[in-house]
């Protein structure tokens, strides 16, 4: 029996293609289907199960039409540069778009070529070419691709285990591909090529550098235009430009590649973030600790990082002893746990640390503050009994919710299960995964499951925050670990005097301070709420005779903990106001004769709003309250 979600049940005597089934049931516009939740091609045959037809307005439809658009783009590139000169890499769908990697023999694609490629893509769409699927035996496919000079496809085929592989053909263009794809090239017309970059073949810097063209496509023009507007807004908010422009951080690519350097202004923001996190952790029963940056190689062998993470670590040797710069803080917290006897009455034990870690990332993937080699985690580890797991996980989630609410973030949750490269037995993994599910279900928190994407030592819950322009970022993580306590022989003394293995929970709420700051810069477009702003107020005397009064205001506000500065330069007032707005300082106090005589300040905001004259004590009280409550709002505007 085949249950068709869109229309009802149907009995089949023999397998039938999705396309033929849709025609038989008079269901139009079908581009793919979901069979028992798995996306399949319109050319695939079905006979039983639960099927749902996918049309262009279905939530999973972009996976199909963007995949097809990557083939249309590759076909256009081959038409422009010549079939014999274009070596094809891969062309997958990615979030909100697609890309394809190319090598141009004796040539290169440049940015100026993108409009030409777009124009040729439009021609291919207008031709409305039928997209056909066919199969070959793998050995036959290798010879086929060799005959076409496609060495990268030959390499992929040589490593495949399947005896039969699939190809898709549209006009003269043929590509090795699993699909699914649209029935024809004319079914989606709204696309845009976004950028051109370099990319190592298969992400390995030892391989040739190919050229990658990124693009996007949508089912209708309005959606495409909204996305392009969002892309332009994202460029305006890019923390890699805003951060240095606002004097928050910079990266010296020659002397410390991938390792951000924070100025006094940036350090203020990081300190505020740490103070906020510290307050919440201490109030929730955590104890702050500090562990070494460099520890013995044998510790990392014992933890499993040597076998599972060595390629991402930095090493050093002294006095015939090998050391590693820590990529994670957990082994240090384990050493603290082992440093004294632990009773069941002591559990749970909650440690947290603002721990500096170093991880090697290939230069090609470094990205401002979002992908770095040196960063600080607000890292915490809980050691508890099995019967305490659910309560502790719920407590962590509530703490994460409190932190994200402070910044106005909405979030989504993912549960990641056992990866292929894992430590420990399947039974332990199943128990750990079930514990996380129970905790999430107990508070009715929606989540999606990411199969095979857990940490090598345990399953995890990841939190993805949504910023002010709709992008999502992975931040907090909660990882349940039954294996580290085994490897380090951790135990506590139970009520009957027996030694029992504790459970370990790894968690970070910001994820990393650097990454979280990069997200905040883009979320707020550099205009931080007052409590985070490096300079919260600037005082602008109109002339020299008002400077003494301005200095008294600076002193008064500074004594109340407000980060305030005086700008009495011999520049025009309008110039100084514009500069303060450019630096996104929340408040400007303009003082002249009237303000000096009435003990007031004329208040302006960085948005350009003129709030008029206000009494100094009134303004001070409101701004101090705004900072104390860590408000997201400008309280002076009411």
């Amino acid at each position: 029996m085949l249950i068709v979600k869109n229309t009802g049940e149907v009995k089949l005597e023999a397998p039938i293609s999705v396309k033929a089934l849709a025609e038989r049931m008079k269901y139009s516009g079908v581009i793919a289907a979901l069979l028992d939740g798995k996306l399949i091609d319109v050319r695939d045959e079905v006979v039983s199960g639960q099927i749902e037809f996918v049309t262009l307005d279905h939530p999973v439809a972009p996976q199909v039409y963007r995949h097809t658009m990557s083939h249309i783009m590759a076909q256009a590139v081959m038409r422009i540069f010549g079939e014999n000169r274009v070596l094809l890499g891969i062309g997958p769908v990615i979030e909100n778009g697609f890309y394809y990697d190319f090598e141009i023999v004796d040539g290169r694609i440049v940015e100026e070529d993108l409009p030409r490629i777009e124009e040729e893509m439009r021609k291919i769409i207008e031709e409305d070419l039928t997209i056909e699927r066919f199969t070959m035996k793998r050995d036959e496919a290798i010879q086929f691709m060799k005959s076409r000079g496609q060495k990268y496809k030959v390499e992929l085929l040589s490593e495949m285990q399947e005896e039969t592989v699939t190809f898709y053909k549209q006009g003269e263009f043929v590509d090795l591909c699993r699909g699914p794809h649209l029935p024809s090239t004319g079914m989606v017309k709204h696309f845009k090529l976004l950028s051109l970059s370099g990319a190592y073949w298969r992400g390995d810097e030892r391989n040739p550098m190919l050229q990658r063209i990124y693009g996007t496509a949508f089912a209708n023009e309005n959606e495409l235009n909204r996305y392009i507007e969002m892309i332009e807004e994202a460029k305006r908010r890019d923390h890699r430009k805003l951060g240095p422009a606002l004097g928050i951080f910079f990266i010296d690519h020659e002397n410390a590649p991938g390792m951000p350097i924070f100025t006094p202004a940036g350090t203020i923001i990081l300190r505020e973030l740490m103070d906020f996190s510290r307050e919440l952790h201490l109030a929730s029963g955590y104890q702050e600790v500090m562990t070494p940056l460099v520890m013995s190689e044998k510790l990392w062998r014992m933890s499993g990082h040597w076998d599972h993470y060595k390629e991402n670590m930095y090493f050093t040797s002294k006095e015939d002893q090998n050391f590693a710069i820590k990529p994670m803080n957990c082994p240090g917290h384990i050493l603290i746990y082992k440093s004294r006897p632990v009773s069941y009455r002591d559990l749970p034990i909650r440690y947290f640390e603002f721990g500096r870690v170093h991880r090697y990332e290939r230069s090609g993937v470094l990205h401002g503050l979002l992908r770095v080699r040196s960063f600080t985690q607000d890292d915490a580890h809980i050691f508890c009994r099995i019967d305490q797991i659910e309560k502790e996980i719920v407590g962590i989630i509530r703490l994460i919710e409190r932190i994200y609410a402070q910044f106005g973030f909405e979030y989504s949750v993912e549960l990641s299960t056992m990866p292929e490269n894992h430590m420990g037995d399947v039974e332990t993994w199943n128990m750990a995964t079930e514990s996380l599910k129970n905790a999430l279900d107990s508070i009715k928190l929606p989540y999606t499951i990411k199969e095979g994407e857990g940490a090598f030592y345990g399953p995890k819950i990841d939190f993805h925050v949504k910023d002010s322009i709709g992008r999502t970022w992975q931040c907090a993580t909660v990882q349940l670990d039954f294996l580290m306590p085994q490897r380090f022989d951790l135990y506590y003394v139970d009520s009957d005097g027996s030694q029992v293995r504790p459970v370990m929970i790894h968690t970070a709420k910001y994820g990393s301070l650097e990454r979280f700051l990069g997200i905040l810069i883009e979320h707020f477009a550099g205009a931080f709420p007052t409590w985070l702003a490096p300079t919260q107020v600037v005082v602008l005397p109109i002339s020299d005779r008002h400077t003494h009064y301005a200095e008294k205001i600076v002193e008064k506000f500074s004594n109340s903990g407000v980060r305030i500065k005086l700008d009495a330069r011999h520049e025009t007032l309008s110039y100084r106001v514009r500069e303060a707005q450019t630096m996104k300082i929340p408040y400007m106090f303009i003082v002249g004769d009237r303000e000096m005589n009435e003990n007031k300040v004329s208040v302006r905001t960085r948005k350009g709003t003129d709030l008029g004259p206000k009494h100094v004590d009134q303004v001070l009280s409101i701004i101090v309250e705004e900072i104390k409550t860590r408000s997201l709002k400008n309280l002076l505007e009411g």
Side-chain angles (χ1 to χ4, degrees):
M1 179 69 69
L2 189 68
I3 302 173
V4 185
K5 186 175 179 181
N6 310 75
T7 58
E9 298 180 359
V10 61
K11 291 183 179 180
L12 299 175
E13 301 299 327
I16 185 173
S17 72
V18 172
K19 179 182 178 183
L21 177 64
E23 290 172 350
R24 171 174 162 179
M25 304 191 77
K26 296 181 172 54
Y27 203 91
S28 60
V30 175
I31 63 169
L34 290 168
L35 181 63
D36 296 329
K38 181 182 178 182
L39 185 63
I40 62 173
D41 198 285
V42 289
R43 303 157 188 87
D44 285 332
E45 292 188 331
V46 294
V47 68
S48 64
Q50 182 167 318
I51 191 169
E52 179 180 359
F53 293 134
V54 173
T55 54
L56 283 175
D57 58 353
H58 192 283
V60 303
Q63 296 181 46
V64 183
Y65 61 69
R66 288 172 182 160
H67 200 172
T68 298
M69 195 60 74
S70 75
H71 279 210
I72 293 173
M73 178 173 71
Q75 184 176 12
V77 169
M78 296 188 92
R79 284 186 177 183
I80 291 171
F81 290 91
E83 187 174 323
N84 295 330
R85 293 183 60 211
V86 178
L87 302 182
L88 300 173
I90 58 173
V93 175
I94 56 175
E95 185 178 8
N96 294 322
F98 59 89
Y99 69 78
Y100 211 113
D101 292 341
F102 305 96
E103 179 183 328
I104 309 299
V105 178
D106 298 326
R108 290 186 61 78
I109 303 171
V110 295
E111 289 284 347
E112 290 74 19
D113 290 321
L114 296 187
R116 293 173 60 206
I117 297 170
E118 285 184 338
E119 185 58 35
E120 193 62 41
M121 290 172 69
R122 291 188 187 95
K123 291 178 182 177
I124 295 169
I125 290 169
E126 288 171 7
E127 291 169 20
D128 196 18
L129 302 171
T130 298
I131 300 176
E132 306 168 37
R133 184 176 69 177
F134 63 93
T135 61
M136 281 188 183
K137 295 295 185 182
R138 189 173 66 90
D139 291 343
E140 182 186 359
I142 290 174
Q143 294 306 315
F144 177 65
M145 279 301 177
K146 279 184 178 179
S147 71
R148 298 173 73 91
Q150 295 296 335
K151 64 178 182 179
Y152 297 114
K153 300 294 184 181
V154 171
E155 180 179 326
L156 292 174
L157 283 162
S158 299
E159 297 177 7
M160 287 182 178
Q161 303 299 316
E162 298 92 333
E163 291 185 9
T164 303
V165 295
T166 59
F167 288 84
Y168 282 83
K169 180 179 185 298
Q170 55 199 50
E172 79 285 0
F173 179 78
V174 180
D175 200 2
L176 171 71
C177 189
R178 288 190 174 93
H181 282 282
L182 296 172
S184 73
T185 62
M187 291 191 70
V188 63
K189 302 175 175 61
H190 310 289
F191 72 95
K192 179 69 177 174
L193 300 188
L194 301 173
S195 62
L196 174 67
S197 69
Y200 291 110
W201 169 235
R202 306 183 82 171
D204 190 333
E205 58 193 5
R206 295 168 295 185
N207 287 338
M209 174 71 80
L210 306 185
Q211 290 190 278
R212 176 172 295 175
I213 301 178
Y214 287 96
T216 191
F218 287 87
N220 63 69
E221 189 173 10
N222 287 338
E223 289 183 18
L224 175 63
N225 289 337
R226 280 197 298 270
Y227 182 74
I228 292 173
E229 288 172 6
M230 190 273 283
I231 291 291
E232 292 303 314
E233 180 64 17
K235 290 178 182 178
R236 189 178 72 83
R237 294 168 178 262
D238 191 337
H239 77 281
R240 293 170 298 176
K241 296 178 180 177
L242 272 179
L246 295 174
I248 294 172
F249 78 95
F250 63 93
I251 297 176
D252 187 327
H253 295 285
E254 181 178 355
N255 295 301
M259 301 182 186
I261 298 170
F262 291 95
T263 64
T267 304
I268 287 171
I269 302 172
L270 291 176
R271 188 184 66 216
E272 290 288 351
L273 292 174
M274 286 190 282
D275 287 349
F276 175 50
S277 175
R278 179 179 285 115
E279 287 176 19
L280 294 178
H281 277 89
L282 294 177
S284 299
Y286 289 80
Q287 304 171 79
E288 188 169 3
V289 299
M290 297 176 67
T291 59
L293 187 63
V294 179
M295 291 186 278
S296 171
E297 175 189 303
K298 66 181 181 182
L299 181 73
W300 303 103
R301 287 184 180 272
M302 187 179 298
S303 70
H305 289 90
W306 183 268
D307 295 325
H308 296 268
Y309 207 74
K310 181 170 61 176
E311 292 181 358
N312 297 92
M313 296 172 66
Y314 292 94
F315 298 94
T316 186
S317 298
K318 288 290 181 183
E319 298 181 351
D320 298 323
Q321 189 172 356
N322 296 326
F323 298 90
I325 301 173
K326 67 177 179 181
M328 300 176 187
N329 300 295
C330 36
H333 294 190
I334 289 171
L335 293 180
I336 297 173
Y337 181 93
K338 285 178 67 76
S339 66
R340 63 180 180 84
V342 177
S343 164
Y344 72 97
R345 294 188 182 91
D346 299 321
L347 300 179
I349 292 174
R350 307 181 187 101
Y351 296 138
F352 86 99
E353 173 180 13
F354 295 109
R356 171 74 69 177
V357 298
H358 290 74
R359 301 177 186 176
Y360 171 70
E361 299 279 3
R362 295 190 302 273
S363 58
V365 301
L366 296 175
H367 184 86
L369 297 179
L370 303 181
R371 195 74 175 265
V372 293
R373 290 173 172 165
S374 172
F375 57 95
T376 304
Q377 291 183 299
D378 60 329
D379 213 358
H381 295 90
I382 298 174
F383 302 87
C384 65
R385 305 189 306 266
I386 287 179
D387 63 293
Q388 296 172 323
I389 291 175
E390 185 175 315
K391 183 178 179 181
E392 290 304 307
I393 297 292
V394 170
I396 293 169
I397 292 171
R398 296 307 187 204
L399 185 53
I400 291 169
E401 290 175 335
R402 172 67 184 87
I403 289 175
Y404 290 169
Q406 191 66 51
F407 303 97
F409 282 136
E410 297 177 4
Y411 63 87
S412 59
V413 179
E414 292 178 349
L415 172 61
S416 297
T417 62
M418 184 178 71
E420 197 171 312
N421 178 28
H422 67 271
M423 295 193 309
D425 59 83
V426 174
E427 183 179 350
T428 300
W429 271 86
N430 289 342
M431 179 169 60
T433 303
E434 202 61 32
S435 297
L436 292 182
K437 286 182 179 178
N438 290 340
L440 291 167
D441 292 339
S442 71
I443 57 174
K444 296 180 173 56
L445 185 62
Y447 61 93
T448 57
I449 294 179
K450 305 290 282 187
E451 297 289 352
E453 295 190 18
F456 68 83
Y457 48 79
K460 63 176 181 170
I461 301 171
D462 287 328
F463 289 73
H464 297 256
V465 300
K466 181 186 289 188
D467 69 14
S468 58
I469 60 173
R471 299 168 301 177
T472 57
W473 309 88
Q474 194 273 313
C475 291
T477 187
V478 185
Q479 302 169 359
L480 189 55
D481 185 356
F482 286 87
L483 301 173
M484 288 280 187
Q486 293 178 15
R487 294 182 74 93
F488 283 92
D489 192 26
L490 303 186
Y491 65 87
Y492 63 88
V493 178
D494 209 354
S495 57
D496 61 0
S498 62
Q499 293 183 346
V500 182
R501 194 80 69 203
V503 179
M504 189 174 180
I505 304 172
H506 310 245
T507 176
K509 284 75 180 182
Y510 290 138
S512 93
L513 287 170
E514 288 77 359
R515 178 178 169 81
F516 198 77
L517 175 54
I519 294 168
L520 289 181
I521 291 172
E522 300 198 6
H523 178 62
F524 293 118
F528 294 102
T530 303
W531 70 277
L532 277 178
T535 300
Q536 295 163 329
V537 180
V538 60
V539 185
L540 307 172
I542 293 175
S543 67
D544 288 346
R545 68 176 181 275
H546 307 118
T547 299
H548 180 64
Y549 176 65
E551 290 171 342
K552 289 170 61 178
I553 292 171
V554 170
E555 181 180 8
K556 185 180 185 73
F557 276 70
S558 293
N559 290 339
S560 294
V562 178
R563 293 189 289 271
I564 187 170
K565 73 174 186 179
L566 173 67
D567 183 358
R569 293 174 298 164
H570 290 161
E571 301 284 356
T572 64
L573 178 62
S574 60
Y575 177 89
R576 287 178 285 155
V577 167
R578 283 196 305 274
E579 187 172 278
Q581 288 178 313
T582 299
M583 296 305 294
K584 302 185 185 294
I585 297 171
Y587 295 110
M588 289 156 272
F589 293 171
I590 298 169
V591 294
D593 291 338
R594 181 177 61 175
E595 289 79 17
M596 188 167 60
N597 294 332
E598 298 177 2
N599 194 30
K600 291 183 178 181
V601 292
S602 286
V603 182
R604 291 191 189 181
T605 72
R606 60 188 160 204
K607 294 179 181 178
T609 306
D610 186 348
L611 301 179
K614 294 184 181 294
H615 196 279
V616 169
D617 290 336
Q618 175 196 9
V619 172
L620 176 59
S621 175
I622 293 174
I623 290 180
V624 167
E625 179 67 14
E626 187 174 326
I627 295 168
K628 180 181 177 182
T629 60
R630 297 188 172 100
S631 173
L632 293 177
K633 297 179 180 179
N634 178 332
L635 297 185
L636 280 174
E637 289 185 307

